[in-house]
Amino acid sequence: IGHRSDTAEYYLSRRVPAWPPVKIVRESRPLGTAGALLRAADELPADMQTFVVANGDAIVFGDLLGAKRRLEAEPELDGVLCAAHARDASPFRTLRIDDAGMLREFRKKHTGHGLVTGGLYIMRRRVLAQLGALDATALEREALPKLLAAGGHWGVHLATGPLLNIDTPEQLQAAETELMSRIAGRPRGAALPHKCRAMSGVIIMRVTFPKTS
């Protein structure tokens, strides 16, 4: 956890229910997602060969089971990222994928609609060694493009709904409105789409709170 770590730790230690268990790792300085991943990786069980990485400042609709099945079926993949259609892609680098659903390029930012990363990944443990050899802290801006250029193999799993950013208090409020609308409109008994449906394993999530100034 990073910015306003005291607030995040207070919430996480008092959440109900208290499952799944949460291991809190603090950043002594801003590390970026790639740096935070390497910092938290020390907590991975020795036999854990795949894990989930999630940004704590976005919500993407869908489940990870399709991405998990693809990673299991294609051993050459280093990981699978979940991608979402953004109504406003200007804050992001958009993705270029081929007909086989492989990530080929992070494109330059542009205005309008675009396919972007949902900040959600399933990775193999070998990626940690690859990241450790890079001089990069930002996962999507620096590390992943470098891994692709070095011959990395990354699949893309398309989410079923839009990407909701919660970087600011205004975006958080808009995301809450969107979530409540989707809950109210879903059929009785239907599962609510959320960031990570039931899966066994480890999730590494970098959490910071929106800055108010």
Side-chain angles (χ1 to χ4, degrees), residues 162-197:
L163 174 69
L164 302 179
N165 268 338
I166 50 176
D167 284 329
T168 66
E170 294 76 17
Q171 289 176 335
L172 177 59
Q173 184 175 5
E176 288 177 344
T177 301
E178 176 80 13
L179 286 172
M180 292 302 101
S181 174
R182 286 175 176 267
I183 291 172
R186 69 191 175 108
R188 182 179 298 275
L192 175 66
H194 51 80
K195 192 153 194 174
C196 185
R197 297 284 289 277

Short mmCIF file of all heavy atoms in Angstrom, two decimals, residues 162-197:
data_model
loop_
_atom_site.label_atom_id
_atom_site.label_comp_id
_atom_site.label_asym_id
_atom_site.label_seq_id
_atom_site.Cartn_x
_atom_site.Cartn_y
_atom_site.Cartn_z
N PRO A 162 -17.18 -1.93 -19.21
CA PRO A 162 -16.24 -0.82 -19.32
C PRO A 162 -15.27 -0.78 -18.15
O PRO A 162 -15.49 -1.39 -17.09
CB PRO A 162 -17.15 0.41 -19.30
CG PRO A 162 -18.32 -0.02 -18.46
CD PRO A 162 -18.53 -1.47 -18.81
N LEU A 163 -14.20 -0.04 -18.33
CA LEU A 163 -13.24 0.22 -17.26
C LEU A 163 -13.69 1.45 -16.49
O LEU A 163 -14.01 2.48 -17.08
CB LEU A 163 -11.86 0.46 -17.85
CG LEU A 163 -10.76 0.90 -16.89
CD1 LEU A 163 -10.39 -0.24 -15.94
CD2 LEU A 163 -9.53 1.36 -17.66
N LEU A 164 -13.72 1.34 -15.16
CA LEU A 164 -14.06 2.47 -14.31
C LEU A 164 -12.83 2.88 -13.51
O LEU A 164 -12.34 2.10 -12.68
CB LEU A 164 -15.21 2.11 -13.35
CG LEU A 164 -16.52 1.63 -13.98
CD1 LEU A 164 -17.52 1.29 -12.89
CD2 LEU A 164 -17.09 2.69 -14.92
N ASN A 165 -12.35 4.08 -13.75
CA ASN A 165 -11.22 4.60 -12.97
C ASN A 165 -11.72 5.19 -11.67
O ASN A 165 -12.79 5.81 -11.63
CB ASN A 165 -10.48 5.69 -13.75
CG ASN A 165 -9.35 5.11 -14.57
OD1 ASN A 165 -8.85 4.03 -14.30
ND2 ASN A 165 -8.95 5.83 -15.59
N ILE A 166 -10.95 5.02 -10.60
CA ILE A 166 -11.29 5.63 -9.32
C ILE A 166 -10.06 6.36 -8.78
O ILE A 166 -9.71 6.28 -7.60
CB ILE A 166 -11.83 4.60 -8.31
CG1 ILE A 166 -10.92 3.37 -8.22
CG2 ILE A 166 -13.23 4.17 -8.68
CD1 ILE A 166 -11.37 2.35 -7.16
N ASP A 167 -9.41 7.12 -9.66
CA ASP A 167 -8.21 7.87 -9.29
C ASP A 167 -8.52 9.09 -8.44
O ASP A 167 -7.67 9.55 -7.68
CB ASP A 167 -7.46 8.34 -10.54
CG ASP A 167 -6.70 7.21 -11.21
OD1 ASP A 167 -6.25 6.30 -10.50
OD2 ASP A 167 -6.58 7.23 -12.44
N THR A 168 -9.71 9.66 -8.59
CA THR A 168 -10.08 10.89 -7.91
C THR A 168 -11.40 10.69 -7.17
O THR A 168 -12.15 9.76 -7.48
CB THR A 168 -10.23 12.05 -8.90
OG1 THR A 168 -11.36 11.78 -9.75
CG2 THR A 168 -8.98 12.22 -9.76
N PRO A 169 -11.71 11.56 -6.20
CA PRO A 169 -13.02 11.44 -5.51
C PRO A 169 -14.19 11.51 -6.49
O PRO A 169 -15.20 10.81 -6.30
CB PRO A 169 -13.01 12.64 -4.55
CG PRO A 169 -11.56 12.89 -4.27
CD PRO A 169 -10.86 12.58 -5.57
N GLU A 170 -14.08 12.34 -7.54
CA GLU A 170 -15.16 12.45 -8.51
C GLU A 170 -15.34 11.14 -9.29
O GLU A 170 -16.48 10.70 -9.53
CB GLU A 170 -14.88 13.60 -9.49
CG GLU A 170 -14.89 14.98 -8.86
CD GLU A 170 -13.63 15.29 -8.05
OE1 GLU A 170 -12.61 14.59 -8.25
OE2 GLU A 170 -13.67 16.23 -7.23
N GLN A 171 -14.24 10.52 -9.67
CA GLN A 171 -14.32 9.25 -10.39
C GLN A 171 -14.85 8.15 -9.47
O GLN A 171 -15.60 7.27 -9.91
CB GLN A 171 -12.94 8.86 -10.92
CG GLN A 171 -12.47 9.71 -12.09
CD GLN A 171 -11.07 9.37 -12.53
OE1 GLN A 171 -10.26 8.86 -11.76
NE2 GLN A 171 -10.76 9.65 -13.79
N LEU A 172 -14.48 8.18 -8.20
CA LEU A 172 -14.99 7.21 -7.25
C LEU A 172 -16.50 7.32 -7.12
O LEU A 172 -17.21 6.31 -7.12
CB LEU A 172 -14.32 7.41 -5.89
CG LEU A 172 -14.79 6.50 -4.75
CD1 LEU A 172 -14.56 5.03 -5.10
CD2 LEU A 172 -14.09 6.85 -3.45
N GLN A 173 -17.00 8.54 -7.02
CA GLN A 173 -18.44 8.73 -6.92
C GLN A 173 -19.16 8.25 -8.18
O GLN A 173 -20.22 7.60 -8.10
CB GLN A 173 -18.76 10.20 -6.67
CG GLN A 173 -20.25 10.48 -6.46
CD GLN A 173 -20.52 11.93 -6.09
OE1 GLN A 173 -19.61 12.76 -6.08
NE2 GLN A 173 -21.77 12.25 -5.79
N ALA A 174 -18.58 8.54 -9.35
CA ALA A 174 -19.18 8.08 -10.60
C ALA A 174 -19.18 6.57 -10.69
O ALA A 174 -20.14 5.95 -11.17
CB ALA A 174 -18.44 8.68 -11.79
N ALA A 175 -18.09 5.92 -10.22
CA ALA A 175 -18.02 4.46 -10.24
C ALA A 175 -19.06 3.85 -9.31
O ALA A 175 -19.68 2.84 -9.64
CB ALA A 175 -16.62 4.01 -9.84
N GLU A 176 -19.27 4.46 -8.15
CA GLU A 176 -20.29 3.96 -7.22
C GLU A 176 -21.67 4.05 -7.85
O GLU A 176 -22.48 3.12 -7.71
CB GLU A 176 -20.24 4.76 -5.92
CG GLU A 176 -19.02 4.46 -5.06
CD GLU A 176 -18.97 5.32 -3.82
OE1 GLU A 176 -19.69 6.34 -3.77
OE2 GLU A 176 -18.20 4.98 -2.90
N THR A 177 -21.94 5.14 -8.57
CA THR A 177 -23.22 5.29 -9.25
C THR A 177 -23.40 4.20 -10.31
O THR A 177 -24.48 3.59 -10.44
CB THR A 177 -23.33 6.67 -9.91
OG1 THR A 177 -23.20 7.68 -8.90
CG2 THR A 177 -24.64 6.84 -10.63
N GLU A 178 -22.33 3.93 -11.08
CA GLU A 178 -22.38 2.88 -12.10
C GLU A 178 -22.63 1.51 -11.48
O GLU A 178 -23.45 0.72 -11.97
CB GLU A 178 -21.08 2.88 -12.89
CG GLU A 178 -20.96 1.78 -13.93
CD GLU A 178 -21.70 2.08 -15.21
OE1 GLU A 178 -22.11 3.24 -15.42
OE2 GLU A 178 -21.87 1.14 -16.02
N LEU A 179 -21.94 1.23 -10.37
CA LEU A 179 -22.10 -0.06 -9.71
C LEU A 179 -23.52 -0.23 -9.18
O LEU A 179 -24.13 -1.30 -9.34
CB LEU A 179 -21.09 -0.19 -8.57
CG LEU A 179 -19.64 -0.44 -8.97
CD1 LEU A 179 -18.73 -0.35 -7.74
CD2 LEU A 179 -19.48 -1.81 -9.63
N MET A 180 -24.05 0.79 -8.55
CA MET A 180 -25.41 0.70 -8.01
C MET A 180 -26.43 0.51 -9.13
O MET A 180 -27.40 -0.22 -8.98
CB MET A 180 -25.73 1.96 -7.20
CG MET A 180 -24.95 2.10 -5.90
SD MET A 180 -25.16 0.69 -4.76
CE MET A 180 -23.63 -0.21 -5.07
N SER A 181 -26.19 1.16 -10.26
CA SER A 181 -27.08 1.00 -11.41
C SER A 181 -27.06 -0.43 -11.92
O SER A 181 -28.10 -1.00 -12.25
CB SER A 181 -26.67 1.97 -12.52
OG SER A 181 -27.42 1.74 -13.70
N ARG A 182 -25.87 -1.02 -11.98
CA ARG A 182 -25.75 -2.39 -12.47
C ARG A 182 -26.36 -3.37 -11.48
O ARG A 182 -27.00 -4.36 -11.88
CB ARG A 182 -24.29 -2.74 -12.72
CG ARG A 182 -23.72 -2.07 -13.96
CD ARG A 182 -22.24 -2.32 -14.13
NE ARG A 182 -21.75 -1.75 -15.38
CZ ARG A 182 -21.66 -2.43 -16.52
NH1 ARG A 182 -22.01 -3.70 -16.56
NH2 ARG A 182 -21.22 -1.84 -17.61
N ILE A 183 -26.20 -3.12 -10.18
CA ILE A 183 -26.80 -3.99 -9.17
C ILE A 183 -28.33 -3.94 -9.26
O ILE A 183 -29.02 -4.96 -9.23
CB ILE A 183 -26.33 -3.59 -7.76
CG1 ILE A 183 -24.84 -3.91 -7.60
CG2 ILE A 183 -27.14 -4.32 -6.69
CD1 ILE A 183 -24.25 -3.37 -6.33
N ALA A 184 -28.87 -2.73 -9.39
CA ALA A 184 -30.31 -2.57 -9.45
C ALA A 184 -30.91 -3.21 -10.69
O ALA A 184 -32.04 -3.71 -10.66
CB ALA A 184 -30.66 -1.08 -9.42
N GLY A 185 -30.14 -3.24 -11.81
CA GLY A 185 -30.67 -3.74 -13.06
C GLY A 185 -30.42 -5.21 -13.33
O GLY A 185 -30.93 -5.75 -14.31
N ARG A 186 -29.66 -5.88 -12.48
CA ARG A 186 -29.34 -7.28 -12.77
C ARG A 186 -30.50 -8.19 -12.40
O ARG A 186 -31.28 -7.90 -11.47
CB ARG A 186 -28.08 -7.70 -12.01
CG ARG A 186 -28.21 -7.80 -10.52
CD ARG A 186 -26.85 -7.96 -9.86
NE ARG A 186 -26.97 -7.93 -8.42
CZ ARG A 186 -26.83 -8.99 -7.63
NH1 ARG A 186 -26.59 -10.17 -8.15
NH2 ARG A 186 -26.95 -8.88 -6.32
N PRO A 187 -30.68 -9.31 -13.12
CA PRO A 187 -31.73 -10.26 -12.80
C PRO A 187 -31.54 -10.84 -11.40
O PRO A 187 -30.42 -10.98 -10.91
CB PRO A 187 -31.58 -11.35 -13.87
CG PRO A 187 -30.80 -10.69 -14.96
CD PRO A 187 -29.91 -9.70 -14.30
N ARG A 188 -32.66 -11.19 -10.74
CA ARG A 188 -32.58 -11.78 -9.42
C ARG A 188 -31.75 -13.07 -9.47
O ARG A 188 -31.96 -13.93 -10.31
CB ARG A 188 -33.97 -12.10 -8.89
CG ARG A 188 -33.97 -12.68 -7.46
CD ARG A 188 -35.40 -12.95 -6.99
NE ARG A 188 -36.18 -11.73 -6.91
CZ ARG A 188 -36.18 -10.92 -5.86
NH1 ARG A 188 -35.45 -11.24 -4.78
NH2 ARG A 188 -36.91 -9.83 -5.86
N GLY A 189 -30.80 -13.19 -8.57
CA GLY A 189 -29.97 -14.39 -8.50
C GLY A 189 -28.75 -14.35 -9.39
O GLY A 189 -27.89 -15.23 -9.30
N ALA A 190 -28.66 -13.34 -10.27
CA ALA A 190 -27.50 -13.26 -11.16
C ALA A 190 -26.28 -12.77 -10.39
O ALA A 190 -26.38 -11.95 -9.49
CB ALA A 190 -27.79 -12.32 -12.33
N ALA A 191 -25.12 -13.29 -10.76
CA ALA A 191 -23.88 -12.89 -10.09
C ALA A 191 -23.49 -11.49 -10.54
O ALA A 191 -23.60 -11.14 -11.71
CB ALA A 191 -22.77 -13.88 -10.41
N LEU A 192 -23.08 -10.68 -9.59
CA LEU A 192 -22.62 -9.32 -9.92
C LEU A 192 -21.22 -9.39 -10.50
O LEU A 192 -20.31 -9.96 -9.89
CB LEU A 192 -22.59 -8.46 -8.65
CG LEU A 192 -22.02 -7.05 -8.81
CD1 LEU A 192 -22.93 -6.23 -9.72
CD2 LEU A 192 -21.87 -6.38 -7.45
N PRO A 193 -21.01 -8.84 -11.70
CA PRO A 193 -19.65 -8.81 -12.25
C PRO A 193 -18.74 -8.01 -11.32
O PRO A 193 -19.13 -6.97 -10.82
CB PRO A 193 -19.82 -8.09 -13.60
CG PRO A 193 -21.27 -8.21 -13.91
CD PRO A 193 -21.97 -8.21 -12.60
N HIS A 194 -17.55 -8.50 -11.10
CA HIS A 194 -16.61 -7.76 -10.27
C HIS A 194 -15.21 -8.09 -10.68
O HIS A 194 -14.97 -8.80 -11.65
CB HIS A 194 -16.85 -8.02 -8.77
CG HIS A 194 -16.92 -9.47 -8.40
ND1 HIS A 194 -15.81 -10.25 -8.23
CD2 HIS A 194 -17.98 -10.27 -8.18
CE1 HIS A 194 -16.18 -11.48 -7.89
NE2 HIS A 194 -17.47 -11.51 -7.86
N LYS A 195 -14.26 -7.57 -9.94
CA LYS A 195 -12.90 -7.59 -10.42
C LYS A 195 -12.31 -8.98 -10.46
O LYS A 195 -11.57 -9.34 -11.35
CB LYS A 195 -12.03 -6.67 -9.56
CG LYS A 195 -10.67 -6.41 -10.19
CD LYS A 195 -10.11 -5.10 -9.74
CE LYS A 195 -8.95 -4.70 -10.62
NZ LYS A 195 -8.44 -3.39 -10.34
N CYS A 196 -12.60 -9.80 -9.49
CA CYS A 196 -11.97 -11.11 -9.46
C CYS A 196 -12.96 -12.12 -8.90
O CYS A 196 -13.22 -12.12 -7.71
CB CYS A 196 -10.69 -11.09 -8.62
SG CYS A 196 -9.78 -12.63 -8.66
N ARG A 197 -13.53 -12.95 -9.74
CA ARG A 197 -14.45 -13.98 -9.30
C ARG A 197 -13.67 -15.07 -8.57
O ARG A 197 -12.46 -15.07 -8.52
CB ARG A 197 -15.18 -14.57 -10.51
CG ARG A 197 -16.05 -13.56 -11.25
CD ARG A 197 -17.34 -13.25 -10.53
NE ARG A 197 -18.22 -14.39 -10.62
CZ ARG A 197 -19.01 -14.65 -11.65
NH1 ARG A 197 -18.99 -13.86 -12.71
NH2 ARG A 197 -19.81 -15.70 -11.66
#
